[in-house]
């Protein structure tokens, strides 16, 4: 029988200084070695297995993050990831004129 595929509970929010994105993913009963977590600047994905249940999902991030500085921990069925936002520079922003 194929594993039941479910989306895990995910909570993501900025820290109090709005410098880092904090992500929490609930993976009850999952062993750490059964977790694959991947990030890009504007998204992340999770794939984790527990017996006949497979937690899978891909999620968009509203602001780009620095994946090279991401840190993850896994304790008591909770995957926690902290990653700093990439701060835009003035050179990267461009004012767009609005036509009438």
């Amino acid at each position: 029988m194929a594993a039941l595929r479910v989306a895990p509970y995910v909570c993501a929010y900025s820290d109090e200084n709005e410098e880092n994105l904090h992500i929490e993913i609930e993976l009850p009963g999952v062993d750490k070695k059964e977790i694959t977590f991947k990030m890009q600047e504007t998204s992340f994905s999770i794939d984790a297995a527990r017996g006949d249940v497979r937690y899978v999902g891909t999620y968009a991030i509203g602001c780009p993050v620095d994946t090279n500085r991401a840190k993850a921990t896994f304790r008591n069925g909770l995957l926690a990831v902290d990653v700093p936002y990439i701060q835009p520079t003035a050179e990267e922003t461009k004012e767009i004129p609005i036509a009438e």
Side-chain angles (χ1 to χ4, degrees):
M1 180 163 87
L4 175 65
R5 294 172 54 104
V6 297
Y9 175 76
V10 176
C11 180
Y13 54 90
S14 294
D15 66 6
E16 60 276 358
N17 298 322
E18 297 183 357
E19 295 174 352
N20 300 288
L21 176 64
H22 179 76
I23 303 166
E24 294 180 352
I25 305 172
E26 291 185 9
L27 301 168
V30 173
D31 189 84
K32 181 177 144 181
K33 68 180 184 224
E34 298 296 325
I35 301 171
T36 301
F37 182 80
K38 297 180 180 180
M39 288 192 93
Q40 295 180 332
E41 282 188 4
T42 57
S43 67
F44 64 90
S45 64
I46 183 75
D47 190 339
R50 178 197 78 201
D52 60 347
V53 176
R54 187 166 166 212
Y55 296 98
V56 293
T58 300
Y59 305 88
I61 300 171
C63 297
V65 293
D66 184 352
T67 59
N68 293 319
R69 295 175 48 207
K71 295 180 182 174
T73 59
F74 184 67
R75 290 186 191 95
N76 299 321
L78 183 68
L79 177 63
V81 181
D82 289 295
V83 59
Y85 290 112
I86 295 174
Q87 300 301 320
T89 63
E91 297 166 358
E92 294 175 358
T93 60
K94 178 180 177 184
E95 185 173 346
I96 307 298
I98 302 172
E100 294 189 33

